[in-house]
Structures are given as structure tokens and as C-alpha cells.
Amino acid sequence: MKLPTGTVLPFLAWSAPRPAIRGEPDITTASAQAVIRAAGPGASCDWFKQPVDHKNPKVGTWSQLYCVNPDKSAGPGSPVVVMTPGESSLYSAISSGRGYSFLENTTMPGLYAQSLGAATVVIEHRYFGGSSPYDGFDSETLQYLTMEQSAADLVNFAKNVVFPYEDTKTSVASKVPWIYFGASYSGTLGSWIERFYPGVFFAFHLSSATIAANTENWYYYDTIRKGIDSYRGDTSCSLALNEVSDFVDKYLLASNRNETEVQALKLLFGSTFPIEDDDFAYSIATPFRYWQETNGYHDVLDMCDAIVGASETDQDPVLGTIPASVVNYAAYFRMNFRDSTCTYLDTWGQEDPLWCLNTHNPWNPFFEARTLGNPWRTWYWLLCNEPLASWATGAPKESPLSIVSRKIDSQYWQKQCELHFPPENGQKYGSSKGKTPDTLNKLTGGWVRNSTRVIWTSGEFDPWRATGMSSEVRPGGALPSSENIAVFLIKNAVHGDDAFSTRALNNLKIKVNPEVVKVQDQAVALVKKWVDGYYAAKKPQA
């Protein structure tokens, strides 16, 4: 999942999950009022009542928080543009203090609203932020966190919402065209809605969506490798990174593993506390997670400059001659990433700077924080339960290059499902009951699509590109565009880059990619053409 650099999540102390459904939220609470203030003076926020289980209303109801901005709306009968921040809170999606808001034209939904004369809506995803049926999250209470239930939430909302400035259902999807925008996971969710509820939403813009899940997504790091080469204009950094991973794997994957050598290797990278091999391998790969964050690829490119900027080897009494690439990478990791790797979490006074990566301790607070406010837990449930999986791994042995250790495999990620979600009252997560990514793809159709009025976008160097509509592994190559489907591969773009407008990038002091602007303009023109056709068809014939 994506989180802004430096974010400190509002984790609460561990508490046992309550099986009871949460009470009706109070719009006057401090957290709700913070959302209202963030939405701005022209917007309205409210709760929308949803069934906990759309297949069985007897289970009960809960309330989902949303905000609507009618500022660009042309009045009754105008379109609605909606998005959900997915695995992030509503507040994080609309707080203009971050430089952008999905209620404004600093983002793609706002650009659509500006062009169409539409209202913009941002609705919080179930079990994220303050919108949850339960306060505690375990294998029992999370049974209703599925993409199927989440898709039904948004469909029910679009069909039945009465906005605070209306008296009746004048803006529901049966009366005006609703345009859905989603990026990353929310784009994936939109693809489910488009498949299982055709006709409810009029058009979709799905950016960086995972369309076909898999078990080992080694393309994740390999796409980053290709992006590094392209941005730098040479292969020096990716080859150096491959030399680092080869050096690490020489010890971690040795058939005659030498404990003294392995400990010396870990100490070289600053692992002064005990750490298991697989956790160590992932810890030194964590710098690459910045690549998919907004403008985060610069962090990786800065690291590259440091790695290839010196050529002195080192001599170690245990490891012998250490290549310059390894010396430089280890030094850069120690100085820039080791102590910050776990600071995006409340550390609970943990002494080890890599404590959150300890997947061999079931009592690790990272696995035990089961309360509302832990988005990592709920996000991991979707990976384990659906299962979306698509675990980012090292390249297979037959691939000559891998910028991360091959010790990072799908088993490393899958085992964490059991740590997060042990059985509770007989309830388990989906992949523990035999569900696989192939099971999910069979249900959703995977790459086999028969879509109507859908825009698919992906960055050329988006690490999730291979799971979408691109040519890497999709049978038959990239999905072709047609009259009702537009597929854009955005040159020099990364993950969800088209979600932000030029205005937002200027606010964030981020260089504008003209290729992104070009695709945004084309997308707005295409959706306007579709919407104009909708209203033209509604006009009485002379």
C-alpha cells in the first residue's frame, strides 16, 4: 500500500476485537469534525448506512463516511464523479494541506468535475479510517471485508444516496451519469464493480489497477530495475544492485550456510539486533518501496548516485573482499534507511530499528495491533483472503538479474497471513481455505474483459504494471483500445501518476511529466464525449 513518507499511523494499543457491531457514529466527534474541516467550506460530509453483509441484511448495519463537493456541479441532473481512497483514510484523501484533495481539481476526479459540471464525492472504504462495522480486526470480524462486499457498498451508495443539499434522490446513478475514478487498489475495486454491476456507473477511469492477481510478482522489482536504467540512461546502478543481491545470496542461499559469515553480512548492513535471514533480505530491499510513492522514485535514484559514485572495495576478516557496490549500498542503507524503516509505525518503545520486520515473533506488535486505525492489518487481509497476493519477490533463478535477494519469495509473504490472522471461532482467511490468485482471477475474469466506457492507465515504470492491462505477461499482449475502451501506457510515469493534476504537482514542487498531462487531457475529452452522448440520448426527439 502507499503511504506518504513520514506518515505516523494512529495505532492504538492492542485490544481484543469486539464481536459486536459498532454503534452509530457521531458526526460531532473530533475525528469526524477533522474530516469536515479538511473537506472545505463548499463541501458536505455525512454518514451513509450500509448492510454489514449485503447478502444477509439481518447481520446489521454500519455507517460509511463520505464527503461531496458540489462546487463544480451545474445543478440538478448533473453528473457525479466518485472515488474511494481504498486502503487509506478519507481524511488523507481530502486534506488540502497535503497539496491536493480528491474533492478539488488538484486531482483527476476534480478535473472531470470541472469539465463535466459535476459534483465530486470521496467515500471511505469499509474497515478503513473511521468507517468500519467493528472496532477490532481478527479472522472473525474481518469476514465481511471482501472486495465483493466493498463493491456492493459503492453500488448501494450510488443507487440510494441523498446528498445533504438535496431533498430526494435527484443525483442517484439511475438518473445521472456517475463516473468512477480509482488508482491502485481502488482502481482494482472499480474493475470489479464494472464487471459485476454493469450499467450502474456510466464510465470508469482505472489507474494502475491489478487486473490479474498472481502468486509471485517478481515483475515488481524488475520493472523498477528497468525504470532505473531508463531514468539514469545507463545500466550501471541496476548492475551494481544485482551485484549486491548476488553477494547477499551467496551467503543466505548457500547449501552449506555458515552462521559466522551470515552474521558478518548482517552486521555489514547495520543489523545489530538478531534478525532472521528472510527478514534481513527484505529489510535491505525496503528502499525500493519508495518507488511507487508519489515522486518517491527520486529516493531510489539518489541512492543509485551514491552507490555508483565510489569504487573502493573493502576487506573483512570473515567475508573477505567486499565489492564496492556492496560497500556503498550497505553504507547508504545504514545511514538513510536502517533507522527509518519502521518509523512509519508507532514503535511502542521498540529498541530494534527493524522491529516491525520481525516475522518470526507472533507477539510482534505489528501483528498484534487489532484495533481500528491499523490500515496495514486490514490491507493485508485483502491480500490473504481474496487473495490479491501478487507478492513482490526476487527474480527467478533463470532470470540473470535481480535487484533484490531471491530469499524474498512468496512463502515469506504468505506465512505472515497466519501471523496476522490466526483462526478465531472457526473463522479463517481465504487462502488458508484453499483460495488462490487463480481462484480470484476465475471469479473476476482476470484479463478477459468485455468492458464498456473504461479508461485503463498505467505508468511505463509502474511496478504493478505487469498485473494490469500491459504486455508483460497478459496473454496476447496489451489490451487494445477500441471505441468504448481506452488503454494508455504513460511514458516515464510510475504508479498512479495520472491521479494528480499539474496544480497539485506545482503545490508539491514536483516536476510535471508532460506525458501524464497529455493522457489526462485525452481522458477528460473522452469522458466528456461519452457524457455528452448520454445527455444527447436523453433529449426528446423533435
Side-chain angles (χ1 to χ4, degrees):
M1 66 181 289
K2 289 198 306 182
L3 288 175
T5 303
T7 296
V8 177
L9 302 178
F11 279 18
L12 305 176
W14 181 92
S15 66
R18 297 199 321 242
I21 297 173
R22 299 177 72 212
E24 189 72 20
D26 185 353
I27 199 69
T28 65
T29 61
S31 58
Q33 287 298 306
V35 170
I36 292 171
R37 288 193 298 272
S44 301
C45 303
D46 206 346
W47 299 97
F48 182 81
K49 188 170 290 187
Q50 295 278 16
V52 175
D53 184 352
H54 287 271
K55 295 179 179 179
N56 182 11
K58 293 181 180 179
V59 174
T61 61
W62 62 287
S63 294
Q64 190 169 23
L65 185 61
Y66 75 93
C67 295
V68 54
N69 182 4
D71 181 55
K72 304 300 182 186
S73 175
S78 299
V80 173
V81 181
V82 64
M83 71 85 66
T84 175
E87 70 273 33
S88 300
S89 69
L90 175 59
Y91 178 85
S92 67
I94 65 172
S95 177
S96 57
R98 296 173 179 265
Y100 60 87
S101 166
F102 282 94
L103 291 172
E104 304 287 349
N105 64 1
T106 47
T107 55
M108 200 67 211
L111 294 180
Y112 280 128
Q114 185 173 273
S115 172
L116 303 173
T120 49
V121 179
V122 180
I123 182 168
E124 202 162 52
H125 193 289
R126 63 165 54 201
Y127 287 83
F128 289 95
S131 298
S132 176
Y134 300 96
D135 280 330
F137 302 146
D138 66 6
S139 294
E140 181 180 17
T141 57
L142 287 168
Q143 289 298 313
Y144 301 109
L145 175 56
T146 66
M147 288 179 68
E148 186 177 9
Q149 296 283 359
S150 304
D153 287 340
L154 297 182
V155 169
N156 185 41
F157 178 79
K159 286 182 174 181
N160 295 294
V161 67
V162 176
F163 291 128
Y165 51 82
E166 300 176 322
D167 295 324
T168 58
K169 297 179 180 180
T170 57
S171 297
V172 293
S174 60
K175 294 183 179 179
V176 301
W178 279 52
I179 291 83
Y180 180 102
F181 175 83
S184 195
Y185 163 65
S186 62
T188 304
L189 179 60
S191 74
W192 272 55
I193 296 172
E194 192 271 335
R195 176 172 173 81
F196 292 109
Y197 298 96
V200 175
F201 290 88
F202 179 71
F204 295 81
H205 180 152
L206 307 177
S207 171
S208 297
T210 294
I211 305 307
N214 56 39
T215 301
E216 296 214 15
N217 184 22
W218 67 274
Y219 300 95
Y220 182 94
Y221 291 115
D222 201 55
T223 304
I224 294 175
R225 176 185 66 81
K226 294 174 182 176
I228 290 171
D229 290 348
S230 179
Y231 286 128
R232 287 179 54 82
D234 62 54
T235 61
S236 59
C237 182
S238 64
L239 291 176
L241 293 171
N242 180 73
E243 188 174 28
V244 173
S245 63
D246 280 350
F247 185 83
V248 169
D249 285 348
K250 179 174 70 172
Y251 299 101
L252 297 188
L253 301 180
S255 56
N256 56 341
R257 183 182 183 281
N258 183 302
E259 184 64 31
T260 301
E261 292 176 339
V262 170
Q263 293 309 312
L265 173 71
K266 293 174 181 178
L267 188 61
L268 173 65
F269 284 84
S271 299
T272 54
F273 292 82
I275 187 170
E276 298 294 334
D277 292 359
D278 49 6
D279 293 334
F280 166 71
Y282 178 63
S283 74
I284 62 175
T286 54
F288 298 109
R289 70 185 178 195
Y290 291 100
W291 185 271
Q292 74 173 54
E293 296 181 2
T294 304
N295 208 43
Y297 70 94
H298 282 294
D299 293 325
V300 177
L301 296 180
D302 288 346
M303 181 178 70
C304 278
D305 290 340
I307 293 171
V308 300
S311 57
E312 292 185 9
T313 61
D314 198 2
Q315 293 295 320
D316 183 270
V318 176
L319 302 175
T321 301
I322 304 176
S325 59
V326 179
V327 173
N328 296 341
Y329 187 90
Y332 200 84
F333 177 80
R334 292 195 308 269
M335 290 187 290
N336 296 277
F337 294 104
R338 172 186 176 271
D339 292 341
S340 62
T341 295
C342 293
T343 54
Y344 57 89
L345 304 170
D346 177 1
T347 62
W348 289 290
Q350 302 293 310
E351 187 179 0
D352 183 354
L354 301 176
W355 70 271
C356 66
L357 304 183
N358 186 346
T359 63
H360 295 261
N361 176 16
W363 299 106
N364 187 334
F366 181 69
F367 300 114
E368 284 298 298
R370 301 183 181 184
T371 51
L372 188 63
N374 182 349
W376 286 90
R377 186 174 186 80
T378 40
W379 171 240
Y380 220 91
W381 174 264
L382 291 170
L383 301 179
C384 300
N385 186 63
E386 298 302 321
L388 279 172
S390 302
W391 311 118
T393 67
K397 291 180 179 180
E398 56 269 23
S399 177
L401 299 175
S402 181
I403 63 172
V404 300
S405 168
R406 289 176 170 87
K407 187 70 177 178
I408 308 171
D409 58 16
S410 61
Q411 297 307 311
Y412 173 69
W413 297 109
Q414 184 64 38
K415 74 173 184 180
Q416 296 180 49
C417 293
E418 192 65 25
L419 290 169
H420 276 292
F421 313 111
E424 189 75 28
N425 291 330
Q427 299 287 356
K428 300 179 179 181
Y429 54 91
S431 57
S432 70
K433 298 184 289 187
K435 291 174 68 175
T436 67
D438 287 341
T439 307
L440 178 65
N441 294 335
K442 186 175 182 180
L443 175 64
T444 65
W447 281 306
V448 180
R449 295 280 162 167
N450 184 22
S451 303
T452 302
R453 293 186 295 275
V454 178
I455 296 172
W456 303 95
T457 60
S458 181
E460 181 182 13
F461 301 120
D462 178 1
W464 292 102
R465 171 180 165 180
T467 65
M469 290 300 183
S470 61
S471 60
E472 273 79 2
V473 292
R474 182 180 181 273
L479 181 74
S481 294
S482 63
E483 184 177 354
N484 277 321
I485 299 174
V487 182
F488 295 103
L489 182 63
I490 309 175
K491 188 173 177 59
N492 291 326
V494 190
H495 187 66
D497 280 1
D498 54 325
F500 305 103
S501 72
T502 297
R503 183 181 162 201
L505 298 181
N506 289 335
N507 290 342
L508 297 167
K509 295 180 172 52
I510 296 174
K511 184 179 179 180
V512 175
N513 180 349
E515 296 298 323
V516 172
V517 177
K518 184 189 303 182
V519 168
Q520 289 173 329
D521 290 344
Q522 290 178 284
V524 168
L526 183 56
V527 171
K528 190 174 189 313
K529 175 184 174 183
W530 288 340
V531 171
D532 287 347
Y534 171 94
Y535 285 109
K538 289 272 187 180
K539 287 183 178 179
Q541 299 297 317

